[in-house]
Amino acid sequence: MEDVPTIELKPGIEYSHRLITQEGQGSSFSFHITSIAAGFEHEARGDGEHESVLYCLHGGSTQTLPDGTVHEFRPGDAVYLPREHEYHHAVGPAGLVMAVSCTPSR
């Protein structure tokens, strides 16, 4: 991954290595490895355009849905995110590294 540019999504907190993209490979979907710093929390919301699949590689997080349902995201877990979604996202003490695939390509 060292030869793939790092994109800082939230400086000092979240960054991504976009390995497959429309621009780079002509793909209709994109595939990235995204890392998020330990302890980071935010309200995650879909943008109405992108569907995504997240796969936890290292660390973990807690995702709390608006109805109070809590999902622990741990290594080996996969989550599908439709175009419209929202949840509270709290990254654990080990940070979070995940594989992300989304369509259309980012």
Side-chain angles (χ1 to χ4, degrees):
M1 277 191 322
E2 291 79 27
D3 59 341
V4 177
T6 299
I7 297 170
E8 282 196 296
L9 303 171
K10 293 175 184 70
I13 297 171
E14 182 178 6
Y15 61 93
S16 181
H17 296 279
R18 295 196 174 165
L19 302 170
I20 297 172
T21 63
Q22 171 71 37
E23 184 178 318
Q25 288 76 28
S27 178
S28 62
F29 67 94
S30 59
F31 180 76
H32 342 133
I33 301 298
T34 298
S35 299
I36 305 175
F40 179 68
E41 294 189 33
H42 71 112
E43 300 303 317
R45 288 188 172 73
D47 63 8
E49 180 183 0
H50 295 91
E51 290 179 274
S52 301
V53 174
L54 313 178
Y55 181 80
C56 185
L57 298 168
H58 175 78
S61 66
T62 301
Q63 302 163 348
T64 305
L65 303 177
D67 70 1
T69 301
V70 175
H71 175 73
E72 299 295 330
F73 189 52
R74 300 291 178 250
D77 290 345
V79 174
Y80 165 72
L81 299 176
R83 289 178 177 96
E84 300 289 340
H85 65 270
E86 66 178 90
Y87 61 92
H88 179 80
H89 192 214
V91 177
L96 176 62
V97 179
M98 60 187 168
V100 179
S101 181
C102 67
T103 187
S105 180
R106 288 192 182 265

